[in-house]
């Protein structure tokens, strides 16, 4: 809804203001100018990005409309999952989690928390590092360094989509100038036409500059910024996971480990200590 509202405001403000000052709307309809600009932009986008980035960019369109996938309820669930996992280890020992981390799809513990279980990267992250713990790793600093490298790679993979869309926004105004120059060249070839015809042709050429700037700063650049904000918000999900796991490996009890994890969340989505305490108190023990 937020994205649609923004698009409506941008289009309505620009075209409505143009119409209000007496502008001729028909002049703005220059389909061949649009083909030149958008076609060249798409071609340049394909040239400048790898296959995985192109695929991720297409998938990011849904992300723009849906917004961040995690809200306060999802973070309460995440903290509850960590609490249940750590309590199981505390009660039965670290080997009790082997059945869950070796076959996470069938895990009764993980499947109790559907948002977490539906995020394959988050599940793999927990399973990989808890497997290290079952194998005897207990050096917090070494594990933190490895986690940081993995999360940085994950961050780069997602933010290269942001960079690709931002590059598209940066280049589109120049492609608008290309379309405008081609329109002027076409006009020069018809210099013998009467002034009213030349005026219409020049106006059509200038639409190229207008359209390039309009889509760049009205849509592509805001899309890039929106994706950046969404990804940064979602990065906190993994930071919370990392912090909780490290706090557990360092020897903190479950209630303190998830408090460390809770502190990593952004204030607008961070549940209070009382909310987390109430949610974890209602959780059944894992087996």
């Amino acid at each position: 809804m937020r994205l649609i509202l923004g698009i409506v405001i941008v289009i309505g403000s620009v075209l409505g203001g143009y119409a209000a000052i007496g502008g001729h709307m028909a002049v703005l309809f220059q389909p061949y100018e649009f083909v030149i600009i958008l076609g060249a932009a798409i071609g340049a986008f394909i040239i400048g990005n790898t296959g995985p980035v192109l695929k991720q960019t297409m998938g990011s369109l849904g992300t723009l409309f849906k917004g961040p996938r995690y809200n306060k309820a999802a973070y309460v669930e995440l903290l509850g999952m960590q609490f249940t996992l750590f309590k199981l280890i505390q009660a039965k020992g670290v080997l009790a989690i082997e059945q869950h981390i070796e076959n996470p799809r069938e895990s009764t513990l993980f499947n109790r928390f559907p948002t977490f279980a539906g995020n394959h990267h988050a599940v793999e992250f927990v399973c990989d590092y808890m497997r290290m713990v079952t194998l005897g790793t207990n050096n917090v600093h070494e594990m933190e360094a490895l986690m940081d490298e993995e999360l940085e790679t994950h961050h780069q993979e997602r933010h290269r989509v942001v960079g690709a869309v931002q590059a598209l926004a940066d280049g589109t105004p120049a492609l608008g100038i290309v379309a405008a120059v081609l329109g002027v060249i076409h006009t020069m070839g018809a210099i013998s036409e009467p002034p009213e015809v030349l005026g219409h042709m020049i106006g059509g050429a200038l639409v190229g500059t207008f359209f390039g700037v309009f889509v760049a700063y009205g849509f592509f650049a805001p899309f890039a910024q929106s994706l950046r904000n969404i990804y940064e918000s979602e990065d906190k999900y993994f930071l919370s996971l990392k912090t909780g796991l490290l706090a557990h490996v360092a020897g903190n009890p479950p209630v303190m480990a998830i408090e460390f994890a809770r502190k990593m969340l952004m204030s607008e989505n961070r549940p209070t200590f009382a909310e987390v305490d109430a949610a974890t108190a209602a959780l059944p023990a894992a087996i």
Side-chain angles (χ1 to χ4, degrees), residues 6-130:
I7 290 174
V8 170
I9 291 174
V10 169
I11 295 176
S13 298
V14 173
L15 299 186
Y18 176 72
I21 62 173
H24 300 288
M25 300 297 292
V27 178
L28 296 180
F29 184 68
Q30 302 291 334
Y32 295 115
E33 296 276 331
F34 303 157
V35 169
I36 292 171
I37 297 167
L38 295 180
I42 292 171
F45 190 80
I46 293 173
I47 292 171
N49 295 286
T50 62
V53 174
L54 297 175
K55 184 177 180 180
Q56 289 173 358
T57 303
M58 295 301 297
S60 68
L61 295 177
T63 301
L64 283 171
F65 281 95
K66 291 184 292 187
R69 73 172 78 177
Y70 306 120
N71 52 22
K72 180 182 285 190
Y75 288 119
V76 170
E77 180 195 278
L78 176 67
L79 296 173
M81 184 281 299
Q82 294 184 77
F83 180 81
T84 304
L85 182 67
F86 302 154
K87 285 289 287 186
L88 176 62
I89 295 173
Q90 185 183 58
K92 298 186 177 181
V94 69
L95 295 182
I97 66 171
E98 280 191 327
Q99 60 177 319
H100 300 291
I101 63 177
E102 295 302 333
N103 191 10
R105 291 185 178 180
E106 304 299 327
S107 168
T108 55
L109 191 158
F110 293 151
N111 288 327
R112 192 183 299 169
F113 307 95
T115 302
F116 170 77
N119 187 328
H120 72 91
H121 184 73
V123 173
E124 288 178 1
F125 186 83
V126 170
C127 291
D128 287 347
Y129 288 102
M130 293 312 297

